[in-house]
Amino acid sequence: MQIQRKMREFSRDPTSLLRRHNDGEAKVVGYMCSGIPEEIIIAAGLQPYRISNIGEHTSSLTPSFICPFASAVLENILRLEDLFQGFIVAHTCDPMWRIFDILKKKVNKPLFFLRVPHNTKNELSFDFMRMEFRRLKMFLERNFVTEINNNSLQSAIELCNHTRDLLRNIYLLNRNNEYKVKASDYFSLVLASAWMSKQEFNALVEASEFGSGKGQGNIRLHVNGTAIYDLNLITVIEDSGGFVVSDDLCTGSRYFWDNVEPSQDPLSALTSRYLTRTPCPAQNPLDDRLRYLSDMVASFNARGVITYAEKFCDPILYDFVHIRNKLASDGIPSLLVDYESPTQEINRIRNRVEAFIETLGD
Amino acid sequence: MYLGIDTGASATKAVIVDRRGEIASQAIVPSGVNFKVSSEMAAKKALDAVRLDLEDMLYVVSTGYGKALVNSTSKSSEIACISRGVYRLIPSARTIIDVGGQDSKAIRISKDGKVLNFVMNDKCAAGTGRFLEIMSNTLQRPIEELSMLHFKAKKPVKMSSTCTVFAESEVVSQMSQGIKIEDVIAGLHEAIAERIYTMASRIGFEQDVAFTGGVSKNKGFVDALRKKICLSPVLPEEPQIVCAFGAALLAMKKHKEKP
């Protein structure tokens, strides 16, 4: 239980980890998206750190139709800029592109814009993404006076694959109708893995035991969405008689589900992994995402799906129509809950989640 | 006797049912800002009407936004309570449209009263009672008058926005242009009906359609929604207490199931 408590503390105050990196004189590179290859950052001898929306809600620099997540991330970057040596922004959705434009004017640190193919199955997608990863590698080498070679990339891949293995093994404990790991504990673990050094995280997890979660008899659910840092969105499900067994969140299985396959060409191996990983709402084709969702729901015996949609998050809102229809054809009920600031509107969210879970329990 | 308490965003309702599930008494009080106080007031009012005390209640179920603050035997969602209440009052209902102070809901139920699907409004006051309350303030007409004026409209205006904030400024602008108040009110009812129709269409309509919730007491709104969905709705005698009634019926069921 000690590790769960520790991880929950980190998820409430990730900046404490950021400061710890700085105290240890690690050079920290901030990024926002699970589609950024941390392996290349680690291979450059740098510490990757996932920037969250924790502590902020809006920004005076963004218009009101930009999702609160992007605005909050922007404010956190500006507030914590001194603790970073550089930033990487991925062009997942248009708000992120605009955030990059604002950062170009506002920060004085090396800044990289990673273009990601929105159609992952196009004949040019692989070459395009590999070229972008190569540009990222060159950016890091140039700005941090370092060399990233195949050996350092291989080591970083092995390290990150090990983290993924550990996370996946814990995740799989809830399969076969088991109720072993509470999602609120589990997601705080995933978040910590994106904030801590991978070596430290792996050692901590290896020394801990998991699998004593309670929740037997609660309604098994899958959570769909983008990045969830406010774990009130998860605990409200647990408090309402639900048990989150699977997800497709950027702060959940999408981050670690797929490993990088061994290869003589690590950059190509990374490209394959990030191109074919668990599909993201900002990418196409949607069919892969729908298939993944159906497979997860079936293999974890989820009885319903809750989609959390950040206000103005177009990718998830467009997807939801197809997701709802697909799930309905599979006989799986779904619920869409929109939000801006979960802590402030938790009663409204609880009202909907409780009703959904109660309906499934009838 | 069994008690159901529904602490809604605008009003708190209490209903007491007897052993046969018939309504013995009911009470509606404003919710104010303290759900605990309003729930106690509503319960007391309903209990006083049948000269009973809370201790005489065999089981109490609370529902609504403030249910966690209510002293009850157990708690339940509004969806479950509304469905149960409607199923008892209108057994032929297969679709329920409930418009309350802060939430609007559409529920599909089976022929045996089971909830098949439901949808609720997103984080926006448009399409709820709050929208009409704010417009009633802007128009300086009590909410009860909106219904009467609706039927005098000759040419309802088309509201370009159902956002409460934008609609308010639009209403001010229309009034300043000399548009008749009844046409503005009918336009507001049509706007809220449009919003609810769009939401409910996601789960579809099946006859009979029941309207519940406090806003269903506004005949002007009911008229606008009826025209929009092209179906004749069935309304319970007192649509505002259906959720509390369902909670009381659920209390009866839970008490009977108790080991």
Side-chain angles (χ1 to χ4, degrees), chain A residues 311 324 333-336 338-341 345 347-352 354-356 358-359 362, chain B residues 64-65 67 75-81 102-103 105 114-118 120-124 202:
Chain A
K311 201 88 176 168
R324 184 189 58 201
S334 60
L335 173 75
L336 174 70
D338 69 328
Y339 67 93
E340 281 181 79
S341 174
E345 52 189 301
N347 278 340
R348 190 185 66 83
I349 295 167
R350 187 189 310 280
N351 209 18
R352 282 145 180 80
E354 275 180 356
F356 182 61
E358 201 173 76
T359 306
D362 275 350
Chain B
Y65 265 90
K67 63 177 177 284
K75 303 173 198 320
S76 184
S77 75
E78 293 149 71
I79 300 292
C81 294
Q102 189 166 292
D103 281 339
K105 314 166 186 78
K114 188 177 170 0
V115 176
L116 298 173
N117 203 353
F118 75 93
M120 291 173 79
N121 62 315
D122 58 12
K123 195 196 169 191
C124 178
R202 287 187 221 149

Side-chain angles (χ1 to χ4, degrees), chain A residues 144-273:
Chain A
F144 298 98
V145 197
T146 182
E147 190 206 335
I148 303 172
N149 55 38
N150 278 1
N151 286 340
S152 60
L153 275 174
Q154 294 286 15
S155 302
I157 287 170
E158 279 170 28
L159 181 66
C160 292
N161 272 351
H162 188 43
T163 305
R164 294 183 189 111
D165 288 340
L166 291 169
L167 288 170
R168 200 181 316 102
N169 287 342
I170 298 165
Y171 198 87
L172 289 168
L173 291 173
N174 285 337
R175 214 160 52 168
N176 302 325
N177 264 330
E178 295 285 357
Y179 294 81
K180 294 279 179 68
V181 190
K182 271 179 72 176
S184 47
D185 288 338
Y186 183 73
F187 284 118
S188 50
L189 201 63
V190 181
L191 291 177
S193 75
W195 291 325
M196 295 170 75
S197 86
K198 293 283 187 279
Q199 287 91 342
E200 185 190 357
F201 177 83
N202 292 352
L204 200 59
V205 172
E206 279 169 344
S208 307
E209 281 190 23
F210 296 88
S212 57
K214 295 188 179 104
Q216 200 75 32
N218 284 2
I219 304 288
R220 296 172 73 84
L221 295 165
H222 177 98
V223 174
N224 166 48
T226 52
I228 290 183
Y229 291 95
D230 189 334
L231 295 182
N232 280 314
L233 288 172
I234 304 301
T235 50
V236 76
I237 297 174
E238 294 172 336
D239 293 345
S240 306
F243 191 88
V244 180
V245 288
S246 58
D247 74 280
D248 57 308
L249 301 175
C250 309
T251 46
S253 69
R254 189 147 49 238
Y255 178 53
F256 63 80
W257 198 252
D258 307 288
N259 274 6
V260 181
E261 295 301 323
S263 164
Q264 295 299 312
D265 176 4
L267 214 52
S268 291
L270 282 170
T271 307
S272 286
R273 189 269 170 189

Side-chain angles (χ1 to χ4, degrees), chain A residues 92-111:
Chain A
T92 45
C93 55
D94 285 345
M96 281 300 160
W97 195 355
R98 300 285 86 83
I99 296 298
F100 177 74
D101 287 341
I102 295 169
L103 290 177
K104 274 196 295 190
K105 291 184 185 299
K106 292 284 178 184
V107 303
N108 293 309
K109 297 283 167 68
L111 200 56

Side-chain angles (χ1 to χ4, degrees), chain B residues 25-46:
Chain B
S25 79
Q26 62 190 61
I28 303 173
V29 302
S31 287
V33 291
N34 191 326
F35 286 126
K36 189 164 167 47
V37 170
S38 67
S39 67
E40 285 166 1
M41 278 170 58
K44 185 171 185 318
K45 211 170 159 186

Side-chain angles (χ1 to χ4, degrees), chain B residues 6 25 49 51 61 72 118 142 228 247-248:
Chain B
D6 170 21
S25 79
R51 296 181 182 172
V61 167
S72 60
F118 75 93
K228 186 69 207 169

